[in-house]
Structures are given as C-alpha cells and as structure tokens.
Amino acid sequence: MVAAPVLEELREVCQPYAKLASRNGEHWAGRLYMRRLSLRFTRQLVRTPVTPDQLTWTMVVCGIASGAALLIPGLTGAVLAVVLMQLFLLFDCVDGEVARWKGQNSATGIYVDRLGAYLADAALMAGIGFRAAENGLGGWLSLGIATALGVVLLKASTDLVDVARARRGLAVADDESTRPRSQGVATVRRLAAAFKIHRVTNGIEASLVLLAAAVGDTLTGGVEVTRWALVALAAITWLMVPAHLLSILASSRLR
C-alpha cells in the first residue's frame, strides 16, 4: 500500500490559505476544529480508490439524513441530527481535500456539493417543523417548510451572484466586493455580524439550537421549546431574505 503523505505536505496542498482565510469560503466550524480532523481522514483516503465525487455524495446523504433523524422523537433524534450534520461538515471538508491532492476537481463535484448544502439545510428545517407538529400535519409543519424555503432562497441569492457574473464574463467576486457601497447598509451589516444571529439559518448551527430545544422539551415535557425555537428560526430566516438581497444589490458584487 502507498505510504500516507506527511501531514504538513498534505495541509499545504489540500488546505490552501486563500480558501481558509476567505470570509465566505469556509465555515467557522471548519476553521475552529473540523479542518484539523478532516486532514487525518484525508491522509488515509488519498491512499484508496475512493473519488471526491463519492465523498460528496456521502456528504449529501448525511445532510438529508440529519433532517430525517428528527422524525425520531426526544433527545435521540436531536442528538442523531447533530451527529449527522457534523458528518456532513466533515465530508464537505474531506471531498475537496481529496480532490486537490488527487487533482480530480470536477464541475459535477462542485454542483453536487452546492446541491447538498441546499438539501441538508432545507431537510433540517422541515424536520424541525415535523417535530414541532408532534408527528402531525398542520401549521407547525408548514412553518418548518416555509423556513426551509427561506433558507434555500438565502443560499440561492448568494449563488446567483456567481451565475450573473459568469454570464457577464466577470471574475468570481472577492471579499472586497461584498462590502456595501451605502454607509447605512454597511452599518446595519456590521451590527448583524456582531451578534452573529444570522448563522442559525445554517444547518450546523440550527441543529445545535434544536438540540438545546430538545433538552428543554425533556425537562418541561411536550415540544413547546422546540416550537419557540422554530418560530425564532423562521423569523430570523425571513428577516434575512430581504436583508441579504439588499446587501447584494448595495454591494459591488454585481458590478
């Protein structure tokens, strides 16, 4: 068997500084802990026939399964959802690292990676709605689906910037171009960034919020805490949808 590459050499190739330093290119959990863990997995995987696309599809399955896990009532489902969402993040790191080391980057991999991000976050929000409805249909499930739709719109509005720029023959937008040209919008954005509340629209953070809510439900009985958490997630998501659109239009990303 081929010897495992040295970690430092692997890190230099698989975790380029430009990507990790980018504000929009790396999740905070990746920088905080997951990139340290993922490199150990990548070190073993690059010695196998496994392809980056196979790892990306595994990521997608983990993300969707995280939402499906919420069909299991109580703490068990909530803990499983968190574990699966962490595996989603792990494979999201590993697939790109293996692709860089093996030189197997592909448009298919990028497409499936983005699709997986949409499906994972939407599945989790819909799962929270199902849990809040106590396995029944009705308003709570509808609220979960509406929140899932809002999350998809947030991601789509970001990705459509790259689509619009590509169709105009422009390069990919850098971090500098994301800064609003309007001082007022910039001030609001700085305030939002200071509180980091927008992060709960991401499946990784939302799964942790749900876990805390599930603990509250266990202590109080019923699903009232989960319902309040869903209301908060829905409100933040749908406040973010127009705010994010305004932020894009007020920046230089489309110029």
PDB file of all heavy atoms in Angstrom, residues 211-233:
ATOM      1  N   LEU A 211     -30.987  20.924  19.357  1.00  0.00           N
ATOM      2  CA  LEU A 211     -30.560  20.059  20.449  1.00  0.00           C
ATOM      3  C   LEU A 211     -30.844  20.727  21.797  1.00  0.00           C
ATOM      4  O   LEU A 211     -31.348  20.078  22.731  1.00  0.00           O
ATOM      5  CB  LEU A 211     -29.074  19.730  20.320  1.00  0.00           C
ATOM      6  CG  LEU A 211     -28.476  18.875  21.444  1.00  0.00           C
ATOM      7  CD1 LEU A 211     -29.204  17.536  21.559  1.00  0.00           C
ATOM      8  CD2 LEU A 211     -26.983  18.649  21.206  1.00  0.00           C
ATOM      9  N   ALA A 212     -30.519  22.021  21.892  1.00  0.00           N
ATOM     10  CA  ALA A 212     -30.812  22.754  23.130  1.00  0.00           C
ATOM     11  C   ALA A 212     -32.313  22.774  23.401  1.00  0.00           C
ATOM     12  O   ALA A 212     -32.753  22.610  24.543  1.00  0.00           O
ATOM     13  CB  ALA A 212     -30.262  24.179  23.030  1.00  0.00           C
ATOM     14  N   ALA A 213     -33.102  22.942  22.345  1.00  0.00           N
ATOM     15  CA  ALA A 213     -34.557  22.942  22.497  1.00  0.00           C
ATOM     16  C   ALA A 213     -35.051  21.572  22.937  1.00  0.00           C
ATOM     17  O   ALA A 213     -35.969  21.461  23.761  1.00  0.00           O
ATOM     18  CB  ALA A 213     -35.217  23.351  21.181  1.00  0.00           C
ATOM     19  N   ALA A 214     -34.454  20.516  22.399  1.00  0.00           N
ATOM     20  CA  ALA A 214     -34.856  19.155  22.777  1.00  0.00           C
ATOM     21  C   ALA A 214     -34.557  18.884  24.248  1.00  0.00           C
ATOM     22  O   ALA A 214     -35.329  18.196  24.931  1.00  0.00           O
ATOM     23  CB  ALA A 214     -34.146  18.136  21.889  1.00  0.00           C
ATOM     24  N   VAL A 215     -33.446  19.408  24.739  1.00  0.00           N
ATOM     25  CA  VAL A 215     -33.135  19.296  26.166  1.00  0.00           C
ATOM     26  C   VAL A 215     -34.210  20.014  26.982  1.00  0.00           C
ATOM     27  O   VAL A 215     -34.697  19.494  27.989  1.00  0.00           O
ATOM     28  CB  VAL A 215     -31.735  19.868  26.476  1.00  0.00           C
ATOM     29  CG1 VAL A 215     -31.504  19.937  27.981  1.00  0.00           C
ATOM     30  CG2 VAL A 215     -30.656  19.031  25.805  1.00  0.00           C
ATOM     31  N   GLY A 216     -34.599  21.217  26.511  1.00  0.00           N
ATOM     32  CA  GLY A 216     -35.658  21.959  27.189  1.00  0.00           C
ATOM     33  C   GLY A 216     -36.975  21.202  27.179  1.00  0.00           C
ATOM     34  O   GLY A 216     -37.698  21.173  28.187  1.00  0.00           O
ATOM     35  N   ASP A 217     -37.282  20.572  26.057  1.00  0.00           N
ATOM     36  CA  ASP A 217     -38.513  19.773  25.968  1.00  0.00           C
ATOM     37  C   ASP A 217     -38.487  18.611  26.954  1.00  0.00           C
ATOM     38  O   ASP A 217     -39.507  18.274  27.572  1.00  0.00           O
ATOM     39  CB  ASP A 217     -38.683  19.223  24.548  1.00  0.00           C
ATOM     40  CG  ASP A 217     -39.099  20.297  23.552  1.00  0.00           C
ATOM     41  OD1 ASP A 217     -39.640  21.336  23.981  1.00  0.00           O
ATOM     42  OD2 ASP A 217     -38.879  20.078  22.348  1.00  0.00           O
ATOM     43  N   THR A 218     -37.319  17.995  27.090  1.00  0.00           N
ATOM     44  CA  THR A 218     -37.184  16.862  28.003  1.00  0.00           C
ATOM     45  C   THR A 218     -37.434  17.295  29.450  1.00  0.00           C
ATOM     46  O   THR A 218     -38.054  16.573  30.232  1.00  0.00           O
ATOM     47  CB  THR A 218     -35.778  16.240  27.882  1.00  0.00           C
ATOM     48  OG1 THR A 218     -35.569  15.800  26.543  1.00  0.00           O
ATOM     49  CG2 THR A 218     -35.612  15.064  28.825  1.00  0.00           C
ATOM     50  N   LEU A 219     -36.979  18.489  29.778  1.00  0.00           N
ATOM     51  CA  LEU A 219     -37.132  18.991  31.146  1.00  0.00           C
ATOM     52  C   LEU A 219     -38.551  19.463  31.439  1.00  0.00           C
ATOM     53  O   LEU A 219     -39.025  19.349  32.576  1.00  0.00           O
ATOM     54  CB  LEU A 219     -36.145  20.141  31.381  1.00  0.00           C
ATOM     55  CG  LEU A 219     -34.658  19.777  31.333  1.00  0.00           C
ATOM     56  CD1 LEU A 219     -33.792  21.021  31.458  1.00  0.00           C
ATOM     57  CD2 LEU A 219     -34.311  18.771  32.431  1.00  0.00           C
ATOM     58  N   THR A 220     -39.220  19.989  30.414  1.00  0.00           N
ATOM     59  CA  THR A 220     -40.545  20.584  30.626  1.00  0.00           C
ATOM     60  C   THR A 220     -41.684  19.699  30.159  1.00  0.00           C
ATOM     61  O   THR A 220     -42.831  19.898  30.557  1.00  0.00           O
ATOM     62  CB  THR A 220     -40.643  21.934  29.894  1.00  0.00           C
ATOM     63  OG1 THR A 220     -40.465  21.738  28.486  1.00  0.00           O
ATOM     64  CG2 THR A 220     -39.581  22.902  30.408  1.00  0.00           C
ATOM     65  N   GLY A 221     -41.398  18.717  29.312  1.00  0.00           N
ATOM     66  CA  GLY A 221     -42.440  17.887  28.733  1.00  0.00           C
ATOM     67  C   GLY A 221     -43.049  18.556  27.509  1.00  0.00           C
ATOM     68  O   GLY A 221     -43.128  19.786  27.439  1.00  0.00           O
ATOM     69  N   GLY A 222     -43.481  17.772  26.525  1.00  0.00           N
ATOM     70  CA  GLY A 222     -44.051  18.347  25.313  1.00  0.00           C
ATOM     71  C   GLY A 222     -42.993  18.829  24.348  1.00  0.00           C
ATOM     72  O   GLY A 222     -41.811  18.455  24.439  1.00  0.00           O
ATOM     73  N   VAL A 223     -43.401  19.709  23.432  1.00  0.00           N
ATOM     74  CA  VAL A 223     -42.487  20.228  22.416  1.00  0.00           C
ATOM     75  C   VAL A 223     -42.563  21.756  22.333  1.00  0.00           C
ATOM     76  O   VAL A 223     -42.233  22.341  21.302  1.00  0.00           O
ATOM     77  CB  VAL A 223     -42.786  19.605  21.022  1.00  0.00           C
ATOM     78  CG1 VAL A 223     -42.455  18.137  20.990  1.00  0.00           C
ATOM     79  CG2 VAL A 223     -44.238  19.847  20.617  1.00  0.00           C
ATOM     80  N   GLU A 224     -42.963  22.386  23.410  1.00  0.00           N
ATOM     81  CA  GLU A 224     -43.133  23.841  23.384  1.00  0.00           C
ATOM     82  C   GLU A 224     -41.824  24.576  23.118  1.00  0.00           C
ATOM     83  O   GLU A 224     -41.791  25.576  22.398  1.00  0.00           O
ATOM     84  CB  GLU A 224     -43.761  24.331  24.698  1.00  0.00           C
ATOM     85  CG  GLU A 224     -45.219  23.969  24.865  1.00  0.00           C
ATOM     86  CD  GLU A 224     -46.070  24.473  23.718  1.00  0.00           C
ATOM     87  OE1 GLU A 224     -45.919  25.655  23.332  1.00  0.00           O
ATOM     88  OE2 GLU A 224     -46.866  23.679  23.177  1.00  0.00           O
ATOM     89  N   VAL A 225     -40.737  24.094  23.702  1.00  0.00           N
ATOM     90  CA  VAL A 225     -39.447  24.768  23.493  1.00  0.00           C
ATOM     91  C   VAL A 225     -39.031  24.648  22.029  1.00  0.00           C
ATOM     92  O   VAL A 225     -38.534  25.608  21.428  1.00  0.00           O
ATOM     93  CB  VAL A 225     -38.365  24.188  24.419  1.00  0.00           C
ATOM     94  CG1 VAL A 225     -37.039  24.928  24.204  1.00  0.00           C
ATOM     95  CG2 VAL A 225     -38.791  24.291  25.876  1.00  0.00           C
ATOM     96  N   THR A 226     -39.247  23.474  21.450  1.00  0.00           N
ATOM     97  CA  THR A 226     -38.940  23.292  20.025  1.00  0.00           C
ATOM     98  C   THR A 226     -39.794  24.227  19.175  1.00  0.00           C
ATOM     99  O   THR A 226     -39.317  24.790  18.179  1.00  0.00           O
ATOM    100  CB  THR A 226     -39.173  21.828  19.611  1.00  0.00           C
ATOM    101  OG1 THR A 226     -38.178  21.003  20.230  1.00  0.00           O
ATOM    102  CG2 THR A 226     -39.072  21.658  18.101  1.00  0.00           C
ATOM    103  N   ARG A 227     -41.039  24.398  19.538  1.00  0.00           N
ATOM    104  CA  ARG A 227     -41.908  25.293  18.774  1.00  0.00           C
ATOM    105  C   ARG A 227     -41.426  26.742  18.842  1.00  0.00           C
ATOM    106  O   ARG A 227     -41.423  27.442  17.828  1.00  0.00           O
ATOM    107  CB  ARG A 227     -43.346  25.176  19.293  1.00  0.00           C
ATOM    108  CG  ARG A 227     -44.011  23.863  18.888  1.00  0.00           C
ATOM    109  CD  ARG A 227     -45.381  23.695  19.491  1.00  0.00           C
ATOM    110  NE  ARG A 227     -46.034  22.500  18.966  1.00  0.00           N
ATOM    111  CZ  ARG A 227     -47.212  22.043  19.374  1.00  0.00           C
ATOM    112  NH1 ARG A 227     -47.863  22.686  20.349  1.00  0.00           N
ATOM    113  NH2 ARG A 227     -47.738  20.956  18.837  1.00  0.00           N
ATOM    114  N   TRP A 228     -41.004  27.173  20.013  1.00  0.00           N
ATOM    115  CA  TRP A 228     -40.473  28.532  20.129  1.00  0.00           C
ATOM    116  C   TRP A 228     -39.188  28.674  19.315  1.00  0.00           C
ATOM    117  O   TRP A 228     -38.941  29.718  18.700  1.00  0.00           O
ATOM    118  CB  TRP A 228     -40.216  28.874  21.592  1.00  0.00           C
ATOM    119  CG  TRP A 228     -41.444  29.310  22.320  1.00  0.00           C
ATOM    120  CD1 TRP A 228     -42.129  28.627  23.284  1.00  0.00           C
ATOM    121  CD2 TRP A 228     -42.154  30.543  22.139  1.00  0.00           C
ATOM    122  NE1 TRP A 228     -43.216  29.343  23.710  1.00  0.00           N
ATOM    123  CE2 TRP A 228     -43.260  30.531  23.027  1.00  0.00           C
ATOM    124  CE3 TRP A 228     -41.966  31.651  21.319  1.00  0.00           C
ATOM    125  CZ2 TRP A 228     -44.163  31.584  23.106  1.00  0.00           C
ATOM    126  CZ3 TRP A 228     -42.871  32.700  21.397  1.00  0.00           C
ATOM    127  CH2 TRP A 228     -43.948  32.668  22.280  1.00  0.00           C
ATOM    128  N   ALA A 229     -38.361  27.610  19.331  1.00  0.00           N
ATOM    129  CA  ALA A 229     -37.122  27.649  18.548  1.00  0.00           C
ATOM    130  C   ALA A 229     -37.442  27.756  17.058  1.00  0.00           C
ATOM    131  O   ALA A 229     -36.781  28.510  16.322  1.00  0.00           O
ATOM    132  CB  ALA A 229     -36.291  26.397  18.819  1.00  0.00           C
ATOM    133  N   LEU A 230     -38.455  27.028  16.603  1.00  0.00           N
ATOM    134  CA  LEU A 230     -38.841  27.087  15.193  1.00  0.00           C
ATOM    135  C   LEU A 230     -39.360  28.472  14.822  1.00  0.00           C
ATOM    136  O   LEU A 230     -39.026  28.998  13.747  1.00  0.00           O
ATOM    137  CB  LEU A 230     -39.905  26.030  14.894  1.00  0.00           C
ATOM    138  CG  LEU A 230     -40.479  26.028  13.468  1.00  0.00           C
ATOM    139  CD1 LEU A 230     -39.368  25.857  12.436  1.00  0.00           C
ATOM    140  CD2 LEU A 230     -41.529  24.930  13.314  1.00  0.00           C
ATOM    141  N   VAL A 231     -40.156  29.062  15.694  1.00  0.00           N
ATOM    142  CA  VAL A 231     -40.655  30.419  15.429  1.00  0.00           C
ATOM    143  C   VAL A 231     -39.477  31.388  15.290  1.00  0.00           C
ATOM    144  O   VAL A 231     -39.459  32.235  14.383  1.00  0.00           O
ATOM    145  CB  VAL A 231     -41.601  30.877  16.556  1.00  0.00           C
ATOM    146  CG1 VAL A 231     -41.905  32.367  16.438  1.00  0.00           C
ATOM    147  CG2 VAL A 231     -42.904  30.080  16.519  1.00  0.00           C
ATOM    148  N   ALA A 232     -38.496  31.262  16.180  1.00  0.00           N
ATOM    149  CA  ALA A 232     -37.319  32.141  16.115  1.00  0.00           C
ATOM    150  C   ALA A 232     -36.536  31.907  14.830  1.00  0.00           C
ATOM    151  O   ALA A 232     -36.119  32.866  14.160  1.00  0.00           O
ATOM    152  CB  ALA A 232     -36.428  31.902  17.328  1.00  0.00           C
ATOM    153  N   LEU A 233     -36.339  30.641  14.450  1.00  0.00           N
ATOM    154  CA  LEU A 233     -35.613  30.328  13.227  1.00  0.00           C
ATOM    155  C   LEU A 233     -36.336  30.872  11.999  1.00  0.00           C
ATOM    156  O   LEU A 233     -35.714  31.431  11.090  1.00  0.00           O
ATOM    157  CB  LEU A 233     -35.436  28.816  13.089  1.00  0.00           C
ATOM    158  CG  LEU A 233     -34.440  28.152  14.046  1.00  0.00           C
ATOM    159  CD1 LEU A 233     -34.561  26.637  13.963  1.00  0.00           C
ATOM    160  CD2 LEU A 233     -33.019  28.596  13.738  1.00  0.00           C
TER     161      LEU A 233
END
